[in-house]
């Protein structure tokens, strides 16, 4: 019997998806791809394969998980398996350069960016950039290593300290800082290529904005992290103020149609697309997460918990529909 296979490298981020799949009584198996082996002469099992490999896997010691996942996805796709977020999604997940070029191709604005490999090239890029600017790794993750600089000199001093030498793919980006109208970003969640909801994330506590509960611990580093799986306790809003993660009911944006096109053109079915609205009201997209987490507190506050309109609910329902398609095809044979 075909089932759902979830390709990932972070067991902690699996719990909410597991629960949503279990509730819907969907048969699934997890493939933890931090390490492993495949025999290219074998045929993969039958099923719906959902890839949620993360760009931040190196921060959990899984440095080669994306590379291994790339091999596994190529093998699955060569056998014509139904893959959700396949090779192209992975390619974009681990490269902001590729994200920006693909976004621009459908007319979505991205902050002006230079990419540099090597300390000297990075210094040259920094000297060329207008202040203030952001330095961040091309292969990102949870906002780690994202830094804002007000002056060229302060960035050059950091480069001299060797702070930027451990970018996972050796590539650093020098990017225009988009001053937001409010200290927030908006993350637009898509499942099955369709907009599920948008969530407002308070960035006043720093750039580490992972929405997963496990990422929102009081001791998480302060910087530029925005992962939604976080409970939202750390950083950002004070008690009594607006929560760090807040779903915006009924929110739509003129860029949504282009985002949908972008996803379709790049064969991405599940993604969180992050944007900043500047003081002139213009929206800039600066990060795509094809492995996406959803904030449980924000979903509870919006009354979405346990429904097909929650992130994991929509995802599990979508995977279930895809599995049903496979069952129908098998029965017709
Ligand atoms: N160009 C920018 N202008 C303003 N803020 C930015 C910019 N780039 C990143 N940030 C802030 O840093 C956070 C993390 O950066 P991001 O590009 O999303 O990296 P990651 O892939 O690690 O999540 C963003 O959510 C945002 O708050
Ligand atoms: Mg981000």
């Amino acid at each position: 019997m075909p089932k759902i296979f979830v390709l990932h490298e972070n067991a902690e981020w699996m719990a909410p998806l597991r629960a949503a799949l279990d509730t819907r009584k969907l048969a699934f198996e997890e493939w933890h791809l931090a390490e492993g082996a495949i025999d290219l002469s074998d045929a993969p099992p039958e099923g719906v394969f959902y890839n949620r490999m993360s760009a931040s896997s190196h921060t959990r010691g899984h440095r080669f998980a994306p590379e291994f996942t790339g091999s596994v996805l190529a093998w699955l796709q060569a056998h014509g398996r139904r893959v959700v977020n396949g090779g192209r999604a992975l390619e974009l997940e681990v490269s902001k350069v590729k994200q920006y070029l693909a976004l621009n191709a459908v007319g979505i604005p991205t902050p002006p960016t230079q990419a540099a490999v090597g300390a000297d090239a990075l210094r040259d890029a920094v000297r060329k950039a207008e202040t203030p600017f952001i330095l961040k790794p091309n292969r990102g993750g949870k906002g780690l290593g994202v830094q804002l600089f007000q002056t060229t000199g302060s960035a050059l001093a950091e480069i001299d300290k060797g702070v930027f030498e451990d970018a996972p793919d050796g590539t650093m980006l020098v990017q225009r800082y988009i001053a937001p109208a409010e200290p927030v970003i908006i993350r637009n969640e898509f499942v099955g290529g369709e907009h599920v909801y948008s969530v407002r994330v308070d960035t006043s506590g720093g750039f580490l904005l992972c929405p997963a509960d496990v990422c929102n611990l009081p001791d998480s580093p302060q910087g530029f992290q925005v992962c939604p799986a976080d409970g939202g306790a750390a950083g950002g809003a004070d008690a009594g103020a607006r929560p760090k993660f807040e779903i915006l009911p009924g929110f739509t944006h003129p860029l949504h149609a282009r985002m949908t096109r972008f996803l379709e053109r790049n064969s991405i079915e599940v993604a969180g697309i992050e944007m900043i609205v500047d003081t002139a009201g213009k929206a800039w997209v600066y990060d795509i997460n094809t492995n996406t987490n959803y904030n449980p507190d924000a979903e509870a506050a919006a009354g979405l918990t346990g429904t097909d309109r929650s992130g994991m609910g929509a995802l599990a329902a979508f995977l279930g529909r895809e599995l049903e398609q496979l069952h129908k095809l098998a029965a017709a044979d």
Side-chain angles (χ1 to χ4, degrees):
M1 276 303 252
K3 56 182 157 179
I4 294 165
F5 292 85
V6 184
L7 284 53
H8 74 103
E9 57 73 48
N10 187 0
E12 284 192 310
W13 283 346
M14 271 304 298
L17 178 56
R18 251 178 236 143
L21 291 167
D22 281 337
T23 309
R24 289 163 183 79
K25 302 204 169 21
L26 294 165
F28 71 98
E29 186 175 317
E30 294 175 32
W31 284 5
H32 193 293
L33 297 182
E35 292 184 358
I38 45 168
D39 186 334
L40 301 190
S41 59
D42 287 344
E46 296 290 342
V48 173
F49 294 82
Y50 165 48
N51 155 42
R52 60 189 330 243
M53 183 49 51
S54 164
S56 63
S57 54
H58 62 280
T59 66
R60 290 174 289 279
H62 305 152
R63 169 60 188 84
F64 295 118
E67 285 75 8
F68 182 42
T69 303
S71 298
V72 171
L73 292 173
W75 174 62
L76 294 171
Q77 292 183 296
H79 284 270
R81 293 293 180 270
R82 173 71 175 103
V83 177
V84 173
N85 282 6
R88 177 65 177 157
L90 177 66
E91 200 182 334
L92 295 193
E93 170 71 16
V94 296
S95 172
K96 287 194 165 66
V97 166
K98 292 183 184 176
Q99 292 176 18
Y100 298 154
L101 295 171
L103 286 161
N104 297 159
V106 298
I108 295 179
T110 57
T113 302
Q114 303 177 71
V117 174
D120 287 338
L122 185 56
R123 283 187 193 94
D124 287 346
V126 157
R127 286 190 197 100
K128 226 179 105 185
E130 267 176 45
T131 55
F133 56 78
I134 295 258
L135 287 192
K136 63 181 171 187
N138 179 48
R139 185 187 289 197
K142 300 188 299 182
L144 289 170
V146 179
Q147 272 197 63
L148 170 62
F149 291 96
Q150 299 292 345
T151 65
T152 310
S154 57
L156 291 173
E158 286 296 285
I159 296 169
D160 288 345
K161 284 193 231 155
V163 193
F164 299 112
E165 275 159 25
D166 55 356
D169 67 355
T171 308
M172 285 301 299
L173 307 182
V174 184
Q175 181 170 91
R176 180 189 295 170
Y177 173 68
I178 307 296
E182 279 182 90
V184 300
I185 63 110
I186 291 173
R187 183 162 159 140
N188 305 280
E189 298 292 357
F190 292 83
V191 171
E194 285 173 22
H195 181 238
V196 179
Y197 61 65
S198 297
V199 58
R200 169 194 193 273
V201 188
D202 187 316
T203 54
S204 54
F207 288 168
L208 304 171
L209 309 178
C210 176
D213 271 333
V214 286
C215 302
N216 280 287
L217 301 173
D219 62 352
S220 18
Q222 288 302 298
F224 276 154
Q225 251 171 301
V226 187
C227 173
D230 291 357
D238 297 327
R242 284 179 86 160
K244 183 170 167 186
F245 295 91
E246 188 179 337
I247 289 165
L248 304 170
F251 178 88
T252 59
H253 190 274
L255 282 185
H256 280 177
R258 288 180 191 180
M259 290 179 186
T260 307
R261 247 183 94 215
F262 158 82
L263 295 174
E264 201 181 301
R265 280 176 62 149
N266 291 282
S267 306
I268 299 172
E269 293 170 90
V270 182
I273 303 183
E274 296 178 356
M275 65 186 193
I276 299 180
V277 180
D278 70 15
T279 46
K282 176 169 174 168
W284 304 77
V285 172
Y286 62 88
D287 188 25
I288 313 265
N289 304 276
T290 65
N291 163 60
T292 192
N293 289 300
Y294 309 99
N295 187 265
D297 293 346
E299 292 192 344
L304 303 180
T305 308
T307 75
D308 283 3
R309 291 176 303 123
S310 72
M312 286 307 175
L315 182 54
F318 165 64
L319 294 173
R321 288 194 296 274
E322 295 304 313
L323 184 61
E324 204 173 305
Q325 284 299 319
L326 280 193
H327 284 303
K328 277 191 196 147
L329 288 176
D333 275 349

